Amino acid sequence: MKKTLVVLAHPNLEKSVVNKALVDRLSQEENITINDLYSKYSDFKIDVEKEQQLLLENDVIVFQFPFQWLSSPALLKEWFDNVFALNFAFGEAFKLEGKKFVVSTSTGSAEKEYQKDGANKATIEEFLMPFCGTANHTKMEYQKPMAAHGAFSLSKEDIENHGNKLVDYLKSL
């Protein structure tokens, strides 16, 4: 497996069921580093140089977060705004060029709600287009996103299966 960085953005990981289980599963793998933003930067004061160095040291960058209000938690947006800086991620230098960009998220709603005829009137892929745009703008390679839908109703077995699928997916990149 290539060196993989999981940028975890969960504002309350201890109360999480799905994201906590996924991170626990990912932590069992060699060559995966978990970067828990909320445990490091609850004050939103991000150490930009440290975060950029972590990105440079890895080949696959996974953004793991709960899908909240049809987006990511606020700290992840703040992280992007600061860490994906001009002349680091884009501009005169594209230092992340060629790195794999993976979104792994969980939703409270069932997958059927993320369809054109579902409650949200769009697919999860459509809602995640800003992440695709970020990857394209920085010359990273956007990968098919992984979503654990219906987080509140998933069984322990469902969550374990999703975690194993996520690991297998990352190994395939």
Side-chain angles (χ1 to χ4, degrees):
M1 178 183 278
K2 295 179 180 177
K3 286 188 72 175
T4 300
L5 177 66
V6 177
V7 179
L8 171 63
H10 195 298
N12 196 349
L13 189 62
E14 289 310 309
K15 289 190 177 179
S16 169
V17 175
V18 174
N19 283 269
K20 187 169 185 336
L22 293 177
V23 169
D24 289 347
R25 176 63 184 91
L26 291 168
S27 297
Q28 297 172 19
E29 297 298 313
E30 289 185 34
N31 294 324
I32 292 184
T33 300
I34 307 295
N35 185 24
D36 185 348
L37 298 183
Y38 276 91
S39 73
K40 290 168 60 175
Y41 306 118
S42 61
D43 60 0
F44 279 56
K45 294 179 182 170
I46 297 166
D47 183 339
V48 172
E49 288 181 15
K50 184 176 182 180
E51 296 300 311
Q52 289 175 340
Q53 188 59 42
L54 279 170
L55 290 168
L56 294 173
E57 293 169 357
N58 288 275
D59 308 300
V60 177
I61 314 302
V62 179
F63 298 95
Q64 179 69 51
F65 58 88
F67 200 60
Q68 299 176 325
W69 287 106
L70 307 175
S71 188
S72 66
L75 183 53
L76 185 56
K77 176 67 166 91
E78 181 74 7
W79 185 90
F80 274 113
D81 288 349
N82 288 278
V83 176
F84 275 41
L86 179 65
N87 298 327
F88 172 76
F90 68 101
E92 293 180 19
F94 289 87
K95 294 183 179 178
L96 304 176
E97 184 172 359
K99 292 182 184 286
K100 308 281 187 203
F101 185 114
V102 179
V103 172
S104 173
T105 191
S106 61
T107 69
S109 299
E111 186 172 8
K112 69 180 182 176
E113 304 305 337
Y114 288 94
Q115 306 298 324
K116 294 286 185 193
D117 60 350
N120 293 308
K121 306 294 183 209
T123 66
I124 193 72
E125 290 84 1
E126 290 170 315
F127 282 113
L128 294 173
M129 284 307 296
F131 292 95
C132 180
T134 297
N136 290 336
H137 190 67
T138 58
K139 298 185 180 181
M140 296 177 75
E141 297 176 12
Y142 189 73
Q143 306 298 303
K144 180 178 169 51
M146 294 284 291
H149 290 287
F152 303 118
S153 61
L154 293 175
S155 69
K156 184 177 180 183
E157 183 180 6
D158 291 336
I159 296 168
E160 287 175 11
N161 288 339
H162 185 79
N164 290 333
K165 285 181 190 175
L166 178 58
V167 167
D168 290 344
Y169 180 57
L170 295 176
K171 285 180 178 179
S172 76
L173 299 177

